[in-house]
Amino acid sequence: MLGPALSLIHTGQTPTRSALTRALDVTRATAGAVTAELEALGLITVDSRPAGGGRGRPSHRLAIDPEGPVVIAGQIHADGLSVALAGLGGLLDPPVHRPLPAATDPVRMLRAVAEAGAELARHSSRRCLGAALALPNPVTEPDGAALAALHFAWPSGTPVADLYDVEVGRADNGPRALDPLPTAIANDANLAALAEYRHGAGRGARHLLLVTSGHRGVGGALVIDGRLHTGSAGLALEVGHLTVDPQGRPCQCGNRGCLNAETDPDALFAAAGLTPDPDRPLLDQARELCLAASTDERARTAVGHVVDRLGLGLAGVANILNPDRVVLSGLHRDLLEAAPDRLRAVVAERCLWGRSGRVPIVGAELGHSALTGAAELAWRPYLADPQSVAVG
Ligand SMILES: [Zn+2]
């Protein structure tokens, strides 16, 4: 009962104790005992003052304890490293961004992100209970090996989960961190989908498809009834190599016209005939180009070109998966905002179900969905068993 109760409060579904009583289908006394135990564990607060300072019956408002424990969320992407501390409730502290280390071999990069996270944990007054990392390449389950890490040319099969665990263990995470600190690692698009499902634009969806282009390439993920569909070995929904233009741009995989190569920030610049500034994050510049589409003809044409290919890809995936919501993240959200009617029209035209029942295509809501998802991964054991926060 504790785990389901904490999950409901964590996802904001039960802001009051009476809502929790109904959601769990238990008596008021049981709900009272459960919330008292979560409060005693330092995870939630129960505010029993009448709302608005009036004299009405106490509503027992439930919230995540702002002084409660945190986890370290990390992300490695083509433009650098990002780390943040995160409490329950999808509450992410402002992330810290660092450039990629000069040497991009797996150990150096995992060490750099582990040390950046440890620095945050050392300077926090809150207990730290775990660390998790989002990577831009497929990660196998359950052994945690990186496959096709094309951005950094890591050897295929690099045991990233084990290496990250070692580096987090070596880092000085401060006196308030569990020792050893539990670690976990997963693909960034999968984590972004989980975060949007629980805290963002995917709430309430049953079959949520997320497609994203962050800094390089394209990722996809599917959440079915609250659970990530990761396939038999963690490798499902690798939508980046779907062909959307057989004569198109070369992809890192050796083929041409993959969704990766046709709808990422590089593709947008190529379509505009522009060269990005090598000293600024490519994603930021690509977003500016999307915004310019409202006034600039060249930007508008480039956005249209990329949106048409994104639409082809989305329709192909939607025909296979039949989602009830599509969430676009990263640059794809900006493309949707720049040309919403065109994108929805391309999908509807190509999608078998699009003409009868249109699948809603919406933009991601979270500012840092991969980091928020990494936090979800680190919180997973505690959401399953809240009493385990008392260990250590
Ligand atoms: Zn490819």
Side-chain angles (χ1 to χ4, degrees):
M1 193 63 73
L2 277 187
L6 184 59
S7 291
L8 286 163
I9 300 164
H10 168 66
T11 50
Q13 296 178 77
T14 53
T16 64
R17 204 170 72 188
S18 51
L20 184 70
T21 306
R22 283 193 300 277
L24 293 174
D25 194 18
V26 294
T27 64
R28 262 168 53 193
T30 301
V34 164
T35 53
E37 186 161 2
L38 292 174
E39 191 177 30
L41 287 166
L43 297 174
I44 69 163
T45 58
V46 183
D47 182 354
S48 54
R49 290 169 300 173
R55 283 154 51 87
R57 207 165 113 192
S59 59
H60 293 98
R61 288 180 300 283
L62 306 176
I64 297 302
D65 187 338
E67 297 304 316
V70 290
V71 294
I72 299 168
Q75 184 183 9
I76 295 178
H77 50 77
D79 282 334
L81 315 171
S82 302
V83 286
L85 296 181
L88 284 165
L91 299 169
L92 199 70
D93 283 359
V96 171
H97 305 287
R98 298 268 172 84
L100 290 174
T104 58
D105 64 275
V107 170
R108 304 278 182 86
M109 285 188 43
L110 294 165
R111 181 170 301 162
V113 77
E115 286 177 352
E119 191 180 336
L120 297 181
R122 279 201 303 280
H123 291 102
S124 174
S125 59
R126 298 162 70 181
R127 291 176 67 216
C128 181
L129 299 181
L133 181 63
L135 285 181
N137 46 265
V139 179
T140 62
E141 292 175 352
D143 43 335
L147 295 188
L150 304 172
H151 305 304
F152 311 123
W154 290 357
S156 197
T158 298
V160 282
D162 292 345
L163 293 173
Y164 179 60
D165 191 66
V166 168
E167 295 303 330
V168 169
R170 286 166 52 121
D172 175 9
N173 295 296
R176 286 169 294 279
L178 286 186
D179 186 21
L181 199 58
T183 64
I185 200 161
N187 168 260
D188 54 7
N190 280 343
L191 293 176
L194 195 59
E196 289 290 337
Y197 177 83
R198 292 194 183 159
H199 303 291
R203 276 179 295 214
R206 285 201 56 216
H207 290 237
L208 169 68
L209 170 67
L210 176 130
V211 177
T212 180
S213 177
H215 300 258
R216 298 277 196 294
V218 172
L222 182 68
V223 178
I224 302 175
D225 292 330
R227 297 177 69 90
L228 266 174
H229 173 77
T230 52
S232 60
L235 307 176
L237 274 296
E238 193 51 47
V239 299
H241 300 285
L242 203 69
T243 305
V244 291
D245 181 359
Q247 272 79 52
R249 288 157 47 79
C251 177
Q252 285 165 316
C253 71
N255 293 319
R256 279 189 172 275
C258 295
L259 198 60
N260 257 340
E262 293 291 330
T263 68
D264 79 344
D266 266 331
L268 183 62
F269 272 93
L274 295 171
T275 307
D277 176 352
D279 295 326
R280 294 182 54 218
L282 186 59
L283 180 59
D284 295 350
Q285 298 180 68
R287 294 192 143 144
E288 290 162 15
L289 198 52
C290 283
L291 280 176
S294 59
T295 51
D296 179 84
E297 185 58 38
R298 180 144 77 165
R300 183 160 44 239
T301 305
V303 163
H305 178 90
V306 175
V307 155
D308 287 350
R309 281 151 184 76
L310 177 59
L312 285 182
L314 290 179
V317 182
N319 281 337
I320 295 168
L321 298 176
N322 184 213
D324 62 348
R325 198 172 312 167
V326 176
V327 172
L328 299 182
S329 182
L331 179 65
H332 290 172
R333 176 178 60 185
D334 299 81
L335 289 166
L336 170 66
E337 283 169 7
D341 297 339
R342 183 161 177 166
L343 181 59
R344 291 189 175 111
V346 176
V347 176
E349 190 180 307
R350 294 275 175 160
C351 187
L352 292 176
W353 332 119
R355 289 167 221 135
S356 49
R358 284 194 177 200
V359 52
I361 303 173
V362 299
E365 285 178 8
L366 302 175
H368 303 279
S369 48
L371 279 177
T372 305
E376 293 299 315
L377 189 61
W379 280 119
R380 180 143 70 184
Y382 304 105
L383 289 166
D385 177 15
Q387 280 169 325
S388 61
V389 304
V391 177

